[in-house]
Amino acid sequence: MNFQDILFYIFSAILIVSALGVITVRNPVYSALLLVLAFVTCAGLWLMLEAEFLAIALVLVYVGAVMVLFLFVVMMLDINLDRLREGFWKWFPFGAVIALIMVAEVSMVLMGKYFGLEEMPAPRPQDADYSNTRELGRLIYTEYVYAFELAAVLLLVAMVTAIALTLRHREDKRSPSPSKQVKVRKEDRIRVVAMPSEKKE
Amino acid sequence: MENIQQQFVEMFGTEWGVMLFSLASNMTFIFAIVIPLLLGVAYLTFAERKIIAYMQIRVGPNRVTFFGIPWLRGWGQPIADAVKAMMKEIIVPTGANKLLFILAPVLTIMPALAAWAVIPFSPELVLADINAGLLYILAMTSMGIYGIIIAGWASNSKYAFLGAMRSAAQVVSYELAMGFALVCVLMMSRSLNLGDIVNGQQGNSLLNWYLIPLFPMFLVYLISGVAETNRAPFDVAEGESEIVAGFHVDYSGMAFTVFFLAEYSNMILVATLTSIMFLGGWLPPVDMEPFTWIPGFIWLLLKIAFILFSSFGFVQPSHTIAMIRS
């Protein structure tokens, strides 16, 4: 067993334990944080597969942005655990079917020799100066440029929709208008009254 | 270096020897970065207090000295502060979530220190010369929010939670502006490697630095950098008058100091990144005889100090003055 294997087993052990924790832990904040841990260890595994761009993008997007919003929501919710458990048996068959499908898919990958996956040669390790950021960029902007731009437009549409759905104009909003404030002259507001000073008795 | 590696190989066999050697040398490099960084943080607080004091016609810290040497008066202050913080008790509030309460400072300082791994101090002096260096820094700095949110939530106090929400919202939103300013830099340098970004600014003089073509981006980056670190004009997250001090109200002793260290090392990180991306990193301002005598590392330090002074130091007291006047 060499150093990389040990790293792999450490990362995958943490990944499995934290992923189990996400669905078993009672406190929703803990389970969100365990999901963060799962993402980070998963990024570690991807780094070992020489996919450094994807690994860092995973941390940047999911850990740095998506999970922060999750945590925001989870922390501000007042979750009643008993209400959450009510529908468990009702949804159990549905969940069991999905779990079976996932087990079948994973076993197809893991038991590759029965499905002829071993005919795929293992990828050759790349040189140290190989930048898969550059390769990804080249692919995205040449071969997959239409798909990429379509995805970008979809995201833009989604963003515009989200803003349009949540944007509300308040009718009773009062805010100062700087241009009007600047135009105000002293004569409009102040009237200087000349009054004789009172004499001391 | 070669000899030491040879010894490791002899002791542990080829594969393990090479692995353990790289582990040991990396640990040495990490300590060589982190210890000066923490010292730098300590003396940054001292410099800040002194400079602001002089701007406000005060004297500032001028008592603590080393071995009673009179002309070092005040220079012992950061060390004394650190010792004081370590001696103090860490109070965990009764209603707090103990595990997360202790974990939060760790989660704050970890990314603040880990981001330093890819910073090139001179052409050869860099711990991890990775291709996706800039992305790595963005990923690491974006992880810093967790410490803040968790600290606010785990304290189980309304003030801390409000402060955490404020700072998290601020950090998340300014990160976008920061990221897009950096996108412009990497479009000019055509590389995500920080060393290549500096090398792309090489030329006869400072006219080749990205500061000139990307001046608006420089301003955007600097402003959002100040906002990211919750410093002076953007210190609503701290809100002294309404929510006491933000997310770390309930922290005391070393736990508070760790937040403090993270904040200041993030400040130095932002200044370092600004000098690497826009001010030519280790490059001298003019590629001529007297300037090239000074090693690149010193130039980088000078640029960092300049950015720290001009954008993190100056703003602080001028903001105070603005608050007094308003």
Side-chain angles (χ1 to χ4, degrees):
Chain A
M1 196 150 73
N2 60 15
F3 194 67
Q4 284 214 334
D5 288 343
I6 293 177
L7 275 184
F8 172 78
Y9 284 117
I10 292 175
F11 275 132
S12 23
I14 298 175
L15 179 58
I16 291 172
V17 170
S18 56
L20 278 176
V22 174
I23 50 171
T24 51
V25 158
R26 275 166 162 255
N27 190 334
V29 173
Y30 278 152
S31 92
L33 288 174
L34 281 170
L35 190 54
V36 172
L37 181 62
F39 278 137
V40 173
T41 38
C42 191
L45 281 179
W46 287 8
L47 267 185
M48 289 175 63
L49 294 172
E50 301 181 5
E52 70 264 8
F53 180 81
L54 290 179
I56 295 175
L58 180 75
V59 173
L60 185 61
V61 175
Y62 283 91
V63 176
V66 176
M67 286 313 294
V68 173
L69 298 181
F70 260 69
L71 216 56
F72 251 73
V73 174
V74 163
M75 280 176 176
M76 292 204 266
L77 283 181
D78 188 22
I79 295 176
N80 188 349
L81 280 176
D82 292 330
R83 287 264 321 275
L84 275 182
R85 279 158 188 272
E86 257 174 15
F88 182 74
W89 289 109
K90 197 174 127 198
W91 295 107
F92 181 74
F94 188 61
V97 169
I98 290 180
L100 273 180
I101 293 173
M102 280 169 76
V103 166
E105 281 174 354
V106 170
S107 55
M108 275 164 98
V109 175
L110 289 181
M111 298 190 292
K113 59 183 168 191
Y114 301 116
F115 296 93
L117 280 185
E118 284 197 335
E119 284 163 28
M120 272 292 281
R124 190 173 50 83
Q126 302 288 350
D127 306 332
D129 59 341
Y130 174 81
S131 160
N132 67 26
T133 314
R134 174 166 295 149
E135 292 306 315
L136 254 173
R138 188 169 291 154
L139 268 184
I140 282 178
Y141 285 101
T142 53
E143 270 185 53
Y144 300 108
V145 66
Y146 293 118
F148 180 67
E149 294 196 340
L150 209 64
V153 171
L154 264 177
L155 277 178
L156 182 69
V157 170
M159 195 173 79
V160 170
T161 325
I163 293 172
L165 281 175
T166 52
L167 192 67
R168 285 187 186 34
H169 284 290
R170 287 187 55 170
E171 297 299 322
D172 58 339
K173 199 170 76 176
R174 279 201 239 165
S175 56
S177 149
S179 59
K180 278 185 189 165
Q181 286 178 328
V182 168
K183 275 181 202 152
V184 167
R185 279 167 302 143
K186 191 171 78 181
E187 298 85 65
D188 302 338
R189 296 274 175 95
I190 305 173
R191 188 165 53 93
V192 182
V193 184
M195 283 174 77
S197 57
E198 290 185 15
K199 293 280 181 307
K200 206 174 176 184
E201 296 294 321
Chain B
M1 283 299 254
E2 295 284 303
N3 288 338
I4 305 171
Q5 186 169 7
Q6 206 61 51
Q7 278 184 354
F8 266 84
V9 169
E10 278 166 24
M11 270 163 72
F12 303 101
T14 319
E15 191 176 11
W16 279 96
V18 173
M19 280 296 168
L20 287 175
F21 172 73
S22 71
L23 193 70
S25 63
N26 279 338
M27 288 307 277
T28 323
F29 273 126
I30 290 170
F31 276 107
I33 293 173
V34 168
I35 292 172
L37 175 67
L38 294 185
L39 275 179
V41 166
Y43 277 92
L44 182 61
T45 60
F46 176 62
E48 187 189 18
R49 288 170 72 179
K50 264 304 202 199
I51 290 169
I52 291 178
Y54 286 139
M55 284 177 179
Q56 295 169 346
I57 325 179
R58 294 183 286 119
V59 183
N62 68 340
R63 297 286 140 172
V64 191
T65 166
F66 295 109
F67 312 113
I69 304 170
W71 48 270
L72 277 180
R73 279 194 176 174
W75 285 85
Q77 188 67 45
I79 309 295
D81 285 343
V83 171
K84 182 195 79 176
M86 276 188 262
M87 298 292 176
K88 276 182 141 179
E89 184 191 355
I90 299 176
I91 300 165
V92 182
T94 344
N97 185 328
K98 200 168 179 186
L99 174 70
L100 291 184
F101 191 81
I102 301 293
L103 194 68
V106 182
L107 281 179
T108 322
I109 191 93
M110 187 278 290
L113 295 181
W116 284 87
V118 293
I119 300 285
F121 295 100
S122 73
E124 308 85 35
L125 209 63
V126 48
L127 172 59
D129 192 12
I130 59 175
N131 280 328
L134 196 60
L135 264 181
Y136 171 82
I137 283 191
L138 283 178
M140 280 300 139
T141 47
S142 70
M143 275 171 73
I145 317 172
Y146 281 102
I148 295 173
I149 301 186
I150 292 173
W153 186 78
S155 317
N156 201 5
S157 139
K158 289 191 184 81
Y159 293 124
F161 191 61
L162 282 174
M165 287 293 141
R166 282 192 189 188
S167 3
Q170 185 163 307
V171 171
V172 170
S173 43
Y174 278 96
E175 221 166 54
L176 282 178
M178 209 170 182
F180 279 100
L182 295 186
V183 166
C184 295
V185 173
L186 67 93
M187 280 168 81
M188 279 203 70
S189 65
R190 295 182 191 176
S191 171
L192 282 167
N193 184 314
L194 290 177
D196 288 348
I197 289 174
V198 175
N199 282 329
Q201 304 176 52
Q202 207 146 30
N204 293 326
S205 67
L206 71 170
L207 293 176
N208 283 66
W209 294 353
Y210 291 153
L211 174 71
I212 312 254
L214 294 178
F215 187 69
M217 290 302 123
F218 170 73
L219 290 184
V220 168
Y221 184 78
L222 212 54
I223 291 171
S224 44
V226 176
E228 278 253 318
T229 46
N230 289 335
R231 293 294 289 179
F234 299 97
D235 58 352
V236 273
E238 226 155 84
E240 294 99 336
S241 52
E242 69 269 25
I243 52 170
V244 207
F247 61 93
H248 52 57
V249 210
D250 283 321
Y251 281 85
S252 62
M254 205 56 207
F256 167 73
T257 316
V258 169
F259 280 119
F260 197 74
L261 283 177
E263 185 188 327
Y264 275 75
S265 71
N266 270 333
M267 262 166 63
I268 305 182
L269 182 71
V270 168
T272 312
L273 287 178
T274 319
S275 27
I276 284 175
M277 314 242 209
F278 297 100
L279 301 180
W282 64 74
L283 300 171
V286 185
D287 203 11
M288 264 165 48
E289 269 297 285
F291 294 101
T292 46
W293 290 346
I294 302 171
F297 181 62
I298 305 290
W299 277 121
L300 183 62
L301 280 188
L302 284 176
K303 286 166 189 171
I304 296 170
F306 173 73
I307 296 284
L308 278 174
F309 178 70
S310 57
S311 56
F312 291 95
F314 252 139
V315 185
Q316 203 82 4
S318 61
H319 178 61
T320 322
I321 293 166
M323 282 202 328
I324 293 166
R325 283 187 185 157
S326 62

